[in-house]
Amino acid sequence: MSDSAADNGAGDGTRAVRAGLPEPVKYEPTLPGPVFAAHFHLPGEATGPYKYGRDENPTWTHLERAIGELEAPGRDDVETLVFASGMAAISSVLFSQLRAGDAVVLPDDGYQVLPLVREQLEAYGIEVRTAPTGGDAQLALLDGAKLLWIETPSNPGLDVCDVRRLAEAAHARGALVAVDNTLASPLGQRPLELGADFAVASGTKQLTGHGDVLLGYVAGTDATAMAAVRRWRKVVGAIPGPMEAWLAHRSIATLQLRVDRQNATALILAQALRERADVTGLRYPGLPDDPSYKIASQQMRRYGCVVSFTLPTRARAERFLDALRLVDDATSFGGVRSTAERRGRWGGDAVPEGFVRLSVGAEDPEDLVADVLRALDESAR
């Protein structure tokens, strides 16, 4: 464990800058470079931390420690595993914990790949139950379930559910609880502190924040459950490259700076959009009048960088996106460059044709707001 990085009293910026660093060694770099190795010297008995490149890598170790210190600062009972992508991490939990005949509760308004996951689960003989995120609707489906999967805030609708309440109810019925923490990031909320067994996320998004790394991770408190997740990673080989892992660790150092800038600007933008008559369905959990605000303010430390809203028609939304100059039309969120897209173009999300998901970057707030309002005006003509 690096010096004071896991100290519960450390601030988020201090923790992010120092998370996962090894003990200092004279003349060695503070953050060691990526280790490119498929195998390691291994004479005699196959013991020790690094045996084969599909199982362990020193670069992963530093990154896993860093993420663990962010998701669960000050705790020694949390294990973190990194994966090749967010979906690899999601799949590792679902398919390592569930067997034919089990039941799982998923959100019906979550990430748009979840319907594909549902098809695969059902093909393996697993019962899939779904309910919306809002209103803690998944509570009604927990009896007899093996696993509850929560996504809060939900992507792209930004609904929020009460993680503590759901986790307590699930555990009372013998179910494990996993929370997709991608949209919030570990600086926005800590699912393990709220009672979840797993915190899962796509590190592709705000954790790394530069749009140049595909990565996922699982952090968990149950040693037996995490051993199954580790075994799944080994079996399917869903491992990150050492360069990706190193880039991710390097990027975490600026996480607090990026998150605070993006969150503050997202609130400013949401407040500006609230004044527009042509914008409906505006959602941002940090707005005091947002339906999710009350619960979000109880369990989130920051509200995220994503704002969603609806324009009157598909054509209007497309004109709006075309008119933007500081916002890239791209299907991601959490990066330092703002992105937006008409989410309905992919299918899989129950959203109107004019629904826009906008991820706020690190641009100057006044420049970004001016660009969005100008694009709204131009697209209305």
Side-chain angles (χ1 to χ4, degrees):
M1 195 69 69
S2 60
D3 51 346
S4 77
D7 178 4
N8 228 349
D12 286 339
T14 301
R15 187 176 294 112
V17 167
R18 304 208 59 82
L21 297 181
E23 293 296 331
V25 176
K26 192 174 184 178
Y27 305 126
E28 292 295 319
T30 54
L31 176 62
V35 175
F36 299 99
H39 58 267
F40 303 86
H41 289 294
L42 195 65
E45 294 298 318
T47 58
Y50 305 109
K51 298 178 285 293
Y52 186 63
R54 189 184 64 248
D55 300 326
E56 303 99 358
N57 179 288
T59 310
W60 302 352
T61 299
H62 295 313
L63 175 60
E64 288 169 345
R65 287 175 180 167
I67 295 171
E69 290 169 16
L70 297 177
E71 284 284 358
R75 293 181 61 171
D76 295 324
D77 61 337
V78 173
E79 180 179 4
T80 304
L81 298 170
V82 290
F83 290 81
S85 69
M87 279 309 304
I90 290 170
S91 299
S92 75
V93 174
L94 291 169
F95 292 103
S96 70
Q97 305 303 314
L98 298 169
R99 302 288 185 273
D102 288 341
V104 60
V105 179
L106 301 179
D108 65 10
D109 54 349
Y111 183 45
Q112 55 102 2
V113 181
L114 287 182
L116 297 179
V117 173
R118 175 177 186 162
E119 291 178 11
Q120 194 62 57
L121 289 168
E122 290 177 336
Y124 289 158
I126 297 164
E127 179 189 353
V128 178
R129 308 168 184 170
T130 63
T133 298
D136 298 342
Q138 290 172 297
L139 279 173
L141 304 179
L142 290 176
D143 286 347
K146 176 71 177 297
L147 176 68
L148 167 63
W149 189 274
I150 297 170
E151 185 177 307
T152 182
S154 61
N155 174 27
L158 303 182
D159 272 321
V160 171
C161 60
D162 187 332
V163 177
R164 285 189 183 90
R165 182 186 183 201
L166 285 164
E168 289 175 1
H171 289 156
R173 293 163 172 81
L176 293 168
V177 178
V179 176
D180 186 330
N181 204 32
T182 303
L183 206 146
S185 90
L187 296 195
Q189 69 185 3
R190 297 176 184 151
L192 301 179
E193 292 183 358
L194 297 173
D197 301 290
F198 303 99
V200 188
S202 168
T204 308
K205 308 301 194 296
Q206 194 163 35
L207 186 79
T208 56
H210 290 77
D212 54 9
V213 173
L214 284 172
L215 190 89
Y217 69 84
V218 179
T221 57
D222 186 302
T224 300
M226 287 302 294
V229 173
R230 180 182 287 274
R231 183 175 184 274
W232 180 265
R233 183 178 72 173
K234 177 184 177 72
V235 169
V236 301
I239 59 173
M243 190 65 188
E244 286 78 7
W246 183 84
L247 284 169
H249 196 172
R250 178 214 59 177
S251 299
I252 285 175
T254 62
L255 179 61
Q256 182 262 337
L257 298 173
R258 293 185 279 107
V259 165
D260 280 354
R261 174 62 170 256
Q262 292 168 270
N263 280 228
T265 305
L267 178 58
I268 293 170
L269 177 61
Q271 290 169 335
L273 291 172
R274 188 169 51 184
E275 305 304 317
R276 299 280 308 204
D278 51 353
V279 168
T280 60
L282 175 66
R283 297 300 304 271
Y284 182 66
L287 284 173
D289 57 352
D290 187 273
S292 294
Y293 179 78
K294 182 178 179 180
I295 296 175
S297 63
Q298 294 170 359
Q299 67 188 22
M300 298 182 73
R301 296 156 58 239
R302 295 171 176 86
Y303 297 107
C305 63
V306 177
V307 177
S308 67
F309 56 93
T310 300
L311 294 177
T313 64
R314 170 177 176 170
R316 172 72 189 283
E318 290 174 345
R319 292 197 303 272
F320 165 71
L321 294 169
D322 287 342
L324 290 166
R325 296 170 185 164
L326 298 180
V327 182
D328 296 331
D329 193 340
T331 181
S332 192
F333 60 85
V336 291
R337 289 172 289 278
S338 293
T339 60
E341 70 172 337
R342 191 184 66 80
R343 194 64 188 163
R345 65 180 176 173
W346 295 101
D349 290 319
V351 295
E353 286 292 320
F355 180 93
V356 174
R357 184 186 70 184
L358 195 154
S359 172
V360 173
E363 298 88 358
D364 288 318
E366 58 271 21
D367 293 337
L368 182 62
V369 171
D371 187 50
V372 170
L373 296 182
R374 179 198 50 76
L376 284 171
D377 290 337
E378 289 187 7
S379 64
R381 296 171 186 164

